[in-house]
Amino acid sequence: MLKRIAKGYSSLDVSFLMGFSFDFIKSVEELMNLGLDFITNNLYLRALQDDNDGIVFDDFEANGIVTYKLVRITYPEQIIHEVFKVSDEDDPELIFRLFEINHPVKAHKNMQGQEDRRMLLTKFIDLLFSSTYFLSPRKPISIFNRCQIAVDGELKPYELREILFDMCKKKSYPKLRAKERKDGLTFEKVFKIGNKSM
């Protein structure tokens, strides 16, 4: 979670880049889904553009079981994450507190720069669409990395997600199609031949 927040990505952004359901990372962070396997962890680190493949563990020498409680408080401008160590004898002990910007609020603050970037990004994706790039299924993280070039690394996953899904809503052919596969979400160009889309 710390890496995600440091990058300025929402849990939805990371889930999208990984090609998973949009609430996947949120469920992991809220401990509804216990942990990530090795492959999923690598996808997570790749979505965060983190080259460090290591995982840090602590307290291997500790005896007994310790209970922790994660508390999330949401305000209009920020989200506060707090972790408390809970014991039967003492009051809960604050282990750490993390402040995250509430992204929907942040998105409305710099509308002109965002609109310029969105226009540039839309033109770049249209260029990719008119080429052969989308003839084979593409994962969101691959598209994201390719589009980073067009906007000098200032791309946010939600911007790409909105444009790609807008392109999927297009009525005429050829168009972009989002497809859930065994290995995650992909996007590809489809054509209409007769009454079938291919």
Side-chain angles (χ1 to χ4, degrees):
M1 181 182 350
L2 297 174
K3 288 176 185 267
R4 174 185 67 75
I5 293 169
K7 291 286 286 185
Y9 292 174
S10 69
S11 59
L12 187 140
D13 290 338
V14 177
S15 296
F16 167 73
L17 289 175
M18 292 173 68
F20 291 155
S21 65
F22 292 158
D23 63 348
F24 177 76
I25 291 299
K26 182 179 179 183
S27 71
V28 170
E29 290 177 357
E30 292 178 353
L31 304 178
M32 292 184 290
N33 185 348
L34 297 177
L36 303 174
D37 60 39
F38 182 74
I39 294 170
T40 309
N41 187 59
N42 280 338
L43 287 172
Y44 182 75
L45 293 173
R46 188 171 167 214
L48 293 174
Q49 299 166 334
D50 188 334
D51 296 332
N52 179 9
D53 292 335
I55 301 171
V56 177
F57 292 97
D58 194 28
D59 290 338
F60 282 117
E61 306 286 325
N63 293 327
I65 297 174
V66 179
T67 305
Y68 294 93
K69 180 178 181 182
L70 173 65
V71 177
R72 182 181 306 200
I73 306 166
T74 304
Y75 296 106
E77 293 281 328
Q78 68 181 350
I79 301 169
I80 301 172
H81 304 272
E82 296 174 324
V83 173
F84 293 92
K85 182 178 180 181
V86 181
S87 70
D88 294 334
E89 296 88 36
D90 299 324
D91 290 336
E93 176 188 350
L94 180 66
I95 301 299
F96 78 86
R97 180 178 291 140
L98 178 68
F99 299 92
E100 176 181 10
I101 296 170
N102 198 345
H103 292 285
V105 172
K106 183 182 174 190
H108 294 291
K109 293 196 173 181
N110 187 5
M111 293 302 274
Q112 182 59 44
Q114 187 178 354
E115 288 301 316
D116 292 344
R117 190 169 53 244
R118 184 179 173 99
M119 184 179 69
L120 180 63
L121 181 60
T122 302
K123 287 182 179 182
F124 185 73
I125 291 175
D126 284 341
L127 182 65
L128 290 176
F129 185 74
S130 63
S131 72
T132 60
Y133 183 75
F134 285 107
L135 290 180
S136 59
R138 299 290 179 170
K139 293 185 177 197
I141 188 68
S142 300
I143 302 167
F144 182 78
N145 289 337
R146 184 78 180 255
C147 292
Q148 287 276 35
I149 299 164
V151 291
D152 293 328
E154 293 294 319
L155 180 60
K156 296 294 181 188
Y158 72 87
E159 296 169 318
L160 177 64
R161 184 180 67 244
E162 289 172 359
I163 292 171
L164 290 173
F165 281 109
D166 283 349
M167 291 179 74
C168 290
K169 293 176 188 172
K170 184 176 156 186
K171 299 290 183 201
S172 61
Y173 287 89
K175 69 178 190 176
L176 198 61
R177 176 175 57 189
K179 187 172 184 180
E180 285 285 336
R181 302 165 72 97
K182 223 187 312 187
D183 60 342
L185 179 70
T186 60
F187 291 89
E188 63 184 313
K189 191 176 193 177
V190 292
F191 301 90
K192 187 171 185 172
I193 300 175
N195 291 332
K196 289 181 149 183
S197 60
M198 304 178 89

